[in-house]
């Protein structure tokens, strides 16, 4: 009884000395997105939140510029606790501890054992 692997036909040899021409068009480097310089300021982000704009675009902008503290604060203000805890992991230890403290404080009335 012959198995199917022993019946595989041999692969024809390739000639390593024969170069294959690759014709590729040069690719221009992608341009970074244009963002206002002052978007990294927490005060600017807070004014956007307080003016009644949706929180998610503000959170997105804060993440793009690496302002995780502002993103976490926006999440907390909007009541997005899971997102705040997740984004706090991208920041420093103080941000993680502060976010966890806010989370436990808000949940203390619902779950007194926390």
């Amino acid at each position: 009884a012959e198995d199917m692997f022993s019946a595989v036909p041999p692969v024809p040899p390739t000639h390593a000395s024969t170069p294959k021409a690759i014709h590729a068009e040069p690719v221009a480097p992608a341009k970074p997105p244009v963002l206002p310089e002052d978007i990294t300021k927490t005060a600017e982000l807070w004014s956007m939140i307080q003016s009644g704009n949706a929180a998610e675009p503000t959170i997105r902008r804060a993440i793009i510029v690496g302002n995780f503290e502002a993103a976490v604060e926006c999440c907390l203000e909007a009541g997005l606790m899971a997102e705040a805890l997740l984004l706090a992991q991208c920041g420093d230890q103080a941000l993680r501890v502060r976010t966890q403290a806010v989370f436990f404080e808000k949940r203390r009335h619902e779950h007194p054992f926390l």
Side-chain angles (χ1 to χ4, degrees):
E2 194 173 311
D3 65 353
M4 66 179 193
F5 294 110
S6 62
V8 175
V11 177
T14 59
H15 299 288
S17 62
T18 309
K20 294 183 179 181
I22 299 175
H23 300 287
E25 296 294 322
V27 177
K31 294 181 181 179
V34 179
L35 298 173
E37 290 180 0
D38 62 347
I39 195 69
T40 58
K41 296 180 182 176
T42 305
E44 176 73 19
L45 293 171
W46 275 110
S47 68
M48 292 173 69
I49 295 167
Q50 293 170 348
S51 68
N53 293 338
E56 289 183 20
T58 305
I59 296 167
R60 189 177 306 117
R61 283 188 221 116
I63 293 170
I64 288 172
V65 298
N67 193 345
F68 294 108
E69 185 171 346
V72 168
E73 292 298 324
C74 185
C75 287
L76 292 173
E77 186 72 23
L80 302 170
M81 298 307 275
E83 289 82 353
L85 289 167
L86 181 68
L87 289 171
Q89 299 303 312
C90 298
D92 59 0
Q93 180 68 20
L95 180 61
R96 289 190 291 272
V97 170
R98 190 173 68 242
T99 306
Q100 288 175 355
V102 171
F103 172 76
F104 290 133
E105 181 61 31
K106 288 190 176 191
R107 299 290 186 218
R108 184 174 55 126
H109 302 293
E110 298 171 21
H111 306 287
F113 52 86
L114 288 177

